[in-house]
Amino acid sequence: MNARILRVNQLLKKELSSIFSREVAFPDGSLVSISRAEATPNLQQAKIYITVFPADKKAEALRSLKGQIYDIQQILNKRLKMRPVPRIEIVLDTGEEKAHRIREVLDSIE
């Protein structure tokens, strides 16, 4: 991956974290964080991976974010001084869950 895409990924993660904390309404009792951002090589699109705590609020938080995606994209477009600004897609990050399950299996073996 080239250096520009890595910088764009970091910038997206930083700016969206700020937007999430100040501008987005989440379900009560849920904590949403961005685990990573992955922009395509042409910078037209980017997948934003989120983790939600507690786990039973995942669907509700994702639904809430997808309902506000247009507003989030508009705020991002105004904040970033780059062109093109990637079109964001928000998805759940399942990597953390998988790692947790692997840890549980390894612990049970010992």
Side-chain angles (χ1 to χ4, degrees):
M1 201 175 296
N2 74 35
R4 180 169 187 220
I5 293 181
L6 291 174
R7 286 194 313 271
V8 168
N9 289 344
Q10 289 173 339
L11 181 63
L12 286 171
K13 185 177 175 186
K14 177 180 173 242
E15 289 299 327
L16 286 168
S17 292
S18 172
I19 292 168
F20 281 16
S21 67
R22 293 186 179 98
E23 319 259 349
V24 178
F26 291 108
D28 287 341
S30 64
L31 175 68
V32 177
S33 66
I34 298 172
S35 54
R36 69 185 192 276
E38 291 181 356
T40 57
N42 63 6
L43 299 177
Q44 294 296 313
Q45 297 178 312
K47 282 191 179 180
I48 309 304
Y49 293 87
I50 62 165
T51 54
V52 180
F53 183 81
D56 63 342
K57 300 273 188 181
K58 282 182 184 179
E60 194 179 349
L62 188 61
R63 203 172 28 255
S64 173
L65 278 169
K66 288 190 177 201
Q68 300 176 70
I69 193 77
Y70 178 81
D71 296 329
I72 295 168
Q73 183 75 57
Q74 294 306 310
I75 295 167
L76 188 65
N77 292 350
K78 287 177 187 162
R79 285 190 180 190
L80 297 183
K81 305 281 188 255
M82 59 177 278
R83 295 293 174 256
V85 173
R87 196 175 124 255
I88 60 172
E89 175 188 356
I90 298 174
V91 294
L92 287 172
D93 188 354
T94 57
E96 193 66 34
E97 269 180 31
K98 290 176 184 171
H100 182 69
R101 273 191 239 131
I102 290 170
R103 273 187 235 116
E104 285 178 344
V105 169
L106 290 174
D107 288 346
S108 70
I109 292 172
E110 291 177 351

